[in-house]
C-alpha cells in the first residue's frame, strides 16, 4: 500500500471513530435528558391525581398512532419518550386547584389551562430533539383540530402532529378513567364517545386521520389499558 493510501485509510478510520464517539456521546446525552425528564414527570405526578400508569399508557397509545402513521422506529421511540411530559406544567399549579372536584370557574380554568404554557417554558431552549418534541406536546396537547381547544385555539395542521397524537391518547385514557367529575367508561363506550361525540367530547376535536387510525386500531388501545392497569406510581 502506498504511503498516501495508508494515510488516507488512517484518516478515514479516525473520522469513523470520531463520528462513532460523537454518536455515542449524543446518545448518552439524550439518555441523560430522558432520565432527568422522567424525574421531573415523577415530581409532577406526586401532586397530580393522574398516576404513573396513566403516563405510561399515554406513551404506549402515542407509539401505536405513530406506528400506524408509518413513522420510523426512532421517531416512534421519540414520541413514546416525549409523551410522559405532557402535564409537567401542573407542577406549578396550586394543589387545591388540581384536587378540586366539580367544575372550575372561569378564573380557576384560566390558571389550570396555563399548565400548557408553563410546561412549554420548562422544556424550552435545549438542543435535544426529545425535549423539543416534549415542549411541543406540553404546549399543544389540549388544542383541538376544530379550534375549540387551548391555549392558542390552533386549528388543523397548525397543531404539531405530536400534540395531536398525545391529545387523542390522553383523551382515550381520561375517558377510561374515573375523575372527580365523571365515572370511568368501558372501552366500547369510550369508542362511541370519541367516534360519535357526547356533547363534551366531539369527533371534530381530533385529527381525522388519527381518528381513522383509532377506529381501525382501537383494540390496541384497549389492550394497553388492560396491560398497564395498576395504579402504582412511576
Ligand atoms: Fe394537560
Ligand atoms: Fe394526561
Amino acid at each position: 500500500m502506498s504511503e498516501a493510501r495508508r494515510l488516507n485509510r488512517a484518516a478515514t478510520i479516525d473520522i469513523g471513530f470520531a463520528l462513532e464517539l460523537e454518536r455515542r456521546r449524543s446518545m448518552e446525552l439524550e439518555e441523560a435528558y430522558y432520565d432527568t425528564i422522567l424525574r421531573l414527570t415523577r415530581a409532577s405526578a406526586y401532586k397530580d391525581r393522574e398516576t404513573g400508569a396513566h403516563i405510561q399508557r399515554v406513551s404506549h397509545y402515542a407509539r401505536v398512532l405513530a406506528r400506524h402513521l408509518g413513522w420510523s422506529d426512532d421517531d416512534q421511540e421519540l414520541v413514546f419518550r416525549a409523551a410522559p411530559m405532557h402535564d409537567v406544567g401542573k407542577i406549578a399549579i396550586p394543589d387545591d386547584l388540581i384536587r378540586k372536584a366539580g367544575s372550575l370557574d372561569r378564573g380557576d380554568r384560566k390558571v389550570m389551562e396555563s399548565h400548557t404554557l408553563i410546561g412549554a417554558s420548562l422544556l424550552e431552549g435545549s438542543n435535544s430533539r426529545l425535549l423539543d418534541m416534549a415542549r411541543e406536546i406540553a404546549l399543544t396537547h389540549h388544542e383541538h383540530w376544530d379550534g375549540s381547544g387551548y391555549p392558542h385555539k390552533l386549528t388543523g395542521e397548525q397543531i404539531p402532529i405530536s400534540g395531536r397524537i398525545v391529545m387523542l391518547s390522553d383523551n382515550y385514557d381520561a375517558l377510561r378513567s374515573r375523575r372527580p367529575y365523571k365515572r370511568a367508561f368501558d372501552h366500547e363506550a369510550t369508542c362511541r364517545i370519541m367516534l360519535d361525540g357526547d356533547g363534551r367530547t366531539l369527533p371534530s376535536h381530533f385529527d381525522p386521520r388519527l381518528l381513522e387510525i383509532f377506529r381501525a386500531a382501537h383494540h390496541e388501545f384497549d389492550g394497553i389499558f388492560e396491560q398497564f392497569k395498576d395504579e402504582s406510581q412511576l
Side-chain angles (χ1 to χ4, degrees):
M1 193 187 295
S2 73
E3 182 62 9
R5 269 186 73 187
R6 202 183 59 74
L7 284 173
N8 205 344
R9 198 165 155 211
T12 309
I13 291 170
D14 274 358
I15 290 169
F17 183 69
L19 284 175
E20 175 59 20
L21 212 63
E22 186 49 39
R23 197 183 64 83
R24 276 201 208 157
R25 256 193 220 129
S26 78
M27 267 173 63
E28 274 169 24
L29 196 61
E30 284 292 306
E31 286 302 317
Y33 275 131
Y34 185 45
D35 183 62
T36 309
I37 282 319
L38 284 181
R39 287 162 199 274
L40 198 59
T41 309
R42 217 180 290 162
S44 71
Y46 273 116
K47 62 182 297 173
D48 197 356
R49 61 179 174 263
E50 292 190 331
T51 62
H54 160 76
I55 287 167
Q56 267 184 310
R57 291 192 299 265
V58 169
S59 279
H60 283 276
Y61 308 137
R63 180 151 65 189
V64 166
L65 292 172
R67 194 181 78 239
H68 284 283
L69 281 171
W71 285 19
S72 69
D73 288 351
D74 279 358
D75 287 349
Q76 289 175 39
E77 184 63 20
L78 196 64
V79 75
F80 179 84
R81 288 178 165 214
M85 291 171 265
H86 61 277
D87 272 340
V88 80
K90 284 192 182 167
I91 212 162
I93 304 295
D95 285 1
D96 52 343
L97 201 54
I98 285 182
R99 304 218 169 94
K100 201 166 183 173
S103 58
L104 304 176
D105 66 28
R106 235 179 112 94
D108 285 350
R109 222 175 25 242
K110 264 261 155 301
V111 176
M112 194 64 187
E113 291 179 4
S114 72
H115 80 275
T116 50
L117 300 162
I118 295 165
S121 75
L122 279 172
L123 296 163
E124 79 187 354
S126 85
N127 291 323
S128 151
R129 277 184 79 205
L130 174 64
L131 287 199
D132 203 46
M133 185 183 275
R135 184 198 53 80
E136 205 171 77
I137 290 171
L139 185 62
T140 62
H141 71 284
H142 288 285
E143 297 287 2
H144 292 166
W145 184 261
D146 62 9
S148 64
Y150 67 84
H152 295 309
K153 296 194 182 307
L154 302 179
T155 57
E157 294 191 351
Q158 286 181 326
I159 310 164
I161 182 71
S162 59
R164 286 179 258 152
I165 286 176
V166 172
M167 182 271 186
L168 189 150
S169 305
D170 200 28
N171 265 269
Y172 173 84
D173 209 68
L175 287 166
R176 297 281 327 250
S177 310
R178 196 163 56 80
R179 293 286 158 88
Y181 52 89
K182 65 168 272 294
R183 65 186 172 87
F185 297 108
D186 65 17
H187 176 68
E188 283 66 34
T190 299
C191 289
R192 257 199 319 277
I193 291 170
M194 289 175 65
L195 294 167
D196 303 331
D198 70 347
R200 187 187 165 96
T201 302
L202 298 173
S204 59
H205 292 172
F206 304 104
D207 175 344
R209 196 161 152 221
L210 294 180
L211 201 58
E212 278 319 297
I213 291 175
F214 175 74
R215 191 193 296 277
H218 66 89
H219 288 304
E220 293 187 57
F221 280 65
D222 191 29
I224 290 165
F225 186 82
E226 294 301 329
Q227 189 183 349
F228 297 96
K229 218 166 179 182
D230 71 305
E231 296 293 272
S232 61
Q233 292 295 309
L234 266 179

